[in-house]
C-alpha cells in the first residue's frame, strides 16, 4: 500500500513516545518525578482509567493526522532529539478536549503525556521554557504543544529528607589549589571583571572538577545560557571543549554524563535552572531556604525539571547575622552552586561540593 509522508511521520512519532511507568521501559533518569526538589510525590494513573494502549494509539494517530505536515516534522525533530535540536512551536487550538478511557484531557496535556511525561496530571505542573516563542504571551486561541518547550516544575513545599541538610562549607577550612583559596578565586575574578568596566553581564560561571577550576570564567550577557558537554544544536558554555588535566576515572565518567547539561535563564521573577540532561543535578542557593537557618539545603533536581534557583529581590534582603560565611563574604548570597550527577551532604560520601567530580559556581552581578 502506498504510504504518504504524513503517515510515515506519524508512525515515527508514535515509536518515539514516552515510556509508560510499569511497562518495563521507564527510565527513571529521564522520566522519574518522585522526590524532585523534595516536592510532592505523584501517583501514576493506572492503565484502566487512562485507557488501553490501543485506545491511546488510535487517539494519538487521529490527532497527529490533522496536524500540518511541516508541524509534524518540527515535532518529530524535538521528540527524536529529546529536546537537543532547536524546534519550532507547535501551535494548536487550546480549547480542544480529548477523551481517553474515563478521563478527559486538553490537547496540549495529552501530547505532553504521550511524548514527554506519561505521569503528568495537569498543565499547572509545567513551566514554559524561554525557547518557546509563545513564552509570556497569552493567546486564547492557540497554545504551543511542543513537549520540549516545557519543563516540569519543582515544588519545595514538603520537608526535606535528612540527607539534604548539611553544614555550610565555611565549617571546613578552605583548600588551597593553584595558589588560590577554593571558591574564593571565582569571586576575585568576577570582581576584577566588574572593575575592568564590563557591567553588561548578569552573571559569570566557573566550572570546577573537584578542587580545581577548569577553563576561564564565562561571562553571561544573553537572557539564557546553555551549559553542556555535548548538544546537537546549541551555543553557550561547552564543557566538552575544555581541556582538563584531571585523570580521575570518576571525573571523566561524570563529564560524559553531563550531556545536554542545564539551561540557565534570567526571567522576570528570578533565575531558573532547567535540567536538560539524563541525570539529576544538585543545587545549593541561599534564596531557596529560610534566611534564618544556619544551614543551606542541597536540592536534587531530576531530568526535565526546572527550579527557580535564585531570587534577586530575596537576595538583596538577606540578612544572616549569625552566619560566618555571609559576614566574611557578602557575595555568598549572590552565588549558586550546581553539581552534575553526584550530590553532596551528610548522607553522601562527599560532604562538600569541592569533592564532587563536576560542578559549577554561578556568581550573580548585583550591581
Amino acid at each position: 500500500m502506498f504510504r504518504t509522508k504524513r503517515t510515515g511521520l506519524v508512525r515515527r512519532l508514535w515509536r518515539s513516545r514516552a515510556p509508560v511507568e510499569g511497562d518495563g521501559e521507564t527510565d527513571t533518569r529521564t522520566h522519574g518525578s518522585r522526590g524532585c526538589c523534595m516536592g510532592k510525590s505523584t501517583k501514576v494513573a493506572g492503565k484502566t482509567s487512562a485507557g488501553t494502549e490501543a485506545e491511546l494509539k488510535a487517539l494519538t494517530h487521529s490527532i497527529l493526522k490533522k496536524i500540518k505536515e511541516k508541524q509534524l516534522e518540527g515535532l518529530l525533530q524535538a521528540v527524536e532529539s529529546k529536546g537537543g535540536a532547536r524546534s519550532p512551536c507547535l501551535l494548536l487550538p487550546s480549547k480542544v478536549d480529548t477523551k481517553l478511557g474515563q478521563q478527559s484531557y486538553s490537547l496540549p496535556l495529552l501530547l505532553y503525556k504521550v511524548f514527554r511525561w506519561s505521569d503528568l496530571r495537569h498543565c499547572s505542573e509545567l513551566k514554559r521554557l524561554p525557547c518557546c516563542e509563545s513564552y509570556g504571551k497569552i493567546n486564547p486561541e492557540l497554545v504551543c504543544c511542543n513537549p520540549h518547550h516545557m519543563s516540569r516544575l519543582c515544588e519545595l513545599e514538603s520537608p526535606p529528607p535528612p540527607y539534604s541538610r548539611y553544614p555550610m562549607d565555611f565549617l571546613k577550612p578552605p583548600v588551597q589549589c593553584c595558589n588560590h583559596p577554593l571558591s574564593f578565586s571565582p569571586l576575585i575574578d568576577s570582581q576584577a571583571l566588574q572593575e575592568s568596566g564590563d557591567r553588561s553581564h548578569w552573571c559569570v560561571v566557573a566550572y570546577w572538577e573537584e578542587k580545581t577550576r577548569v577553563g576561564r570564567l564565562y561571562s553571561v550577557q544573553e537572557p539564557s545560557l546553555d551549559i553542556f558537554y555535548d548538544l546537537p544544536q546549541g551555543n553557550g558554555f561547552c564543557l566538552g571543549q575544555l581541556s582538563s588535566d584531571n585523570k580521575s576515572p570518576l571525573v571523566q565518567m561524570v563529564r560524559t554524563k553531563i550531556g545536554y547539561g542545564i539551561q540557565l535563564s534570567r526571567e522576570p521573577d528570578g533565575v531558573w535552572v532547567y535540567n536538560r540532561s539524563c541525570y539529576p543535578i544538585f543545587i545549593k542557593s541561599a534564596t531557596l531556604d529560610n534566611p534564618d537557618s544556619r544551614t543551606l539545603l542541597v536540592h536534587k533536581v531530576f531530568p526535565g525539571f526546572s527550579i527557580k534557583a535564585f531570587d534577586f529581590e530575596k537576595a538583596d534582603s538577606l540578612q544572616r547575622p549569625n552566619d560566618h560565611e555571609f559576614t566574611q563574604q557578602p557575595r555568598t548570597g549572590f552565588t549558586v552552586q550546581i553539581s552534575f550527577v553526584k550530590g553532596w551532604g551528610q548522607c553522601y560520601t562527599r560532604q562538600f561540593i569541592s569533592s564532587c567530580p563536576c560542578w559549577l559556581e554561578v556568581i550573580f552581578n548585583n550591581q
Side-chain angles (χ1 to χ4, degrees), residues 11 26 36 62 95 104 127 136 139 191 280 286 304 318 364:
R11 292 190 177 188
T26 303
C36 177
S62 67
K95 296 183 179 180
S104 181
K127 177 188 180 298
N139 187 331
Q191 290 167 356
L318 277 177
F364 299 103

Side-chain angles (χ1 to χ4, degrees), residues 68-351:
K68 295 179 181 178
E69 196 171 282
K70 187 175 182 180
Q71 289 180 308
L72 287 176
E73 291 176 342
L75 177 60
L76 183 64
Q77 183 182 35
V79 171
E80 288 190 336
S81 70
K82 299 186 185 301
R86 296 190 186 95
S87 55
C89 288
L90 177 62
L91 297 175
L92 298 174
S94 59
K95 296 183 179 180
V96 174
D97 289 332
T98 56
K99 188 113 175 160
L100 182 62
Q102 302 299 316
Q103 296 187 10
S104 181
Y105 300 99
S106 67
L107 183 56
L109 180 60
L110 179 69
L111 293 180
Y112 299 151
K113 284 175 67 67
V114 171
F115 294 111
R116 195 83 193 270
W117 303 287
S118 60
D119 63 335
L120 186 65
R121 298 169 299 175
H122 195 274
C123 284
S124 62
E125 300 173 29
L126 300 175
K127 177 188 180 298
R128 195 168 298 280
L129 296 170
C131 64
C132 184
E133 293 179 4
S134 61
Y135 181 83
K137 300 177 182 178
I138 299 176
N139 187 331
E141 303 298 329
L142 300 175
V143 65
C144 179
C145 297
N146 187 329
H148 288 278
H149 283 192
M150 308 295 293
S151 69
R152 294 290 285 269
L153 188 62
C154 283
E155 298 177 353
L156 300 174
E157 298 176 4
S158 301
Y163 73 80
S164 66
R165 192 173 289 277
Y166 75 106
M168 294 283 289
D169 286 354
F170 70 83
L171 296 177
K172 182 179 181 181
V175 178
Q176 297 290 331
C177 176
C178 302
N179 299 321
H180 293 291
L182 176 65
S183 82
F184 290 166
S185 59
L187 300 180
I188 294 171
D189 290 345
S190 66
Q191 290 167 356
L193 186 61
Q194 293 178 20
E195 291 170 1
S196 68
D198 182 7
R199 287 186 168 82
S200 60
H201 69 283
W202 58 271
C203 77
V204 291
V205 180
Y207 169 62
W208 295 77
E209 291 178 355
E210 297 173 329
K211 298 177 180 65
T212 303
R213 202 186 78 200
V214 180
R216 303 182 64 181
L217 287 171
Y218 193 99
S219 179
V220 185
Q221 288 87 27
E222 297 297 322
S224 65
L225 170 70
D226 290 324
I227 304 174
F228 56 92
Y229 181 83
D230 183 24
L231 189 65
Q233 295 179 13
N235 297 315
F237 192 5
C238 180
L239 306 181
Q241 292 182 346
L242 299 179
S243 59
S244 170
D245 296 329
N246 196 314
K247 304 301 182 182
S248 164
L250 181 60
V251 170
Q252 298 303 318
M253 181 270 290
V254 171
R255 273 173 63 94
T256 59
K257 287 187 175 182
I258 292 172
Y260 293 177
I262 65 170
Q263 185 177 82
L264 193 70
S265 59
R266 179 166 186 175
E267 303 181 29
D269 62 339
V271 176
W272 287 80
V273 174
Y274 168 46
N275 185 1
R276 303 182 68 183
S277 75
C278 293
Y279 297 87
I281 60 172
F282 299 80
I283 297 180
K284 184 192 80 171
S285 168
T287 66
L288 282 173
D289 296 304
N290 185 338
D292 296 326
S293 173
R294 292 246 339 149
T295 60
L296 294 181
L297 302 180
V298 177
H299 298 273
K300 186 176 184 178
V301 183
F302 281 95
F305 281 76
S306 287
I307 186 173
K308 187 168 80 168
F310 190 76
D311 187 314
F312 282 94
E313 291 185 5
K314 189 174 180 180
D316 285 330
S317 64
L318 277 177
Q319 293 184 0
R320 301 168 69 104
N322 297 322
D323 191 326
H324 175 77
E325 186 175 7
F326 270 68
T327 303
Q328 299 300 316
Q329 295 291 331
R331 287 188 60 86
T332 299
F334 284 82
T335 301
V336 168
Q337 294 177 330
I338 305 170
S339 68
F340 295 100
V341 185
K342 301 295 183 180
W344 75 100
Q346 286 186 345
C347 288
Y348 288 87
T349 56
R350 301 165 190 84
Q351 293 295 298

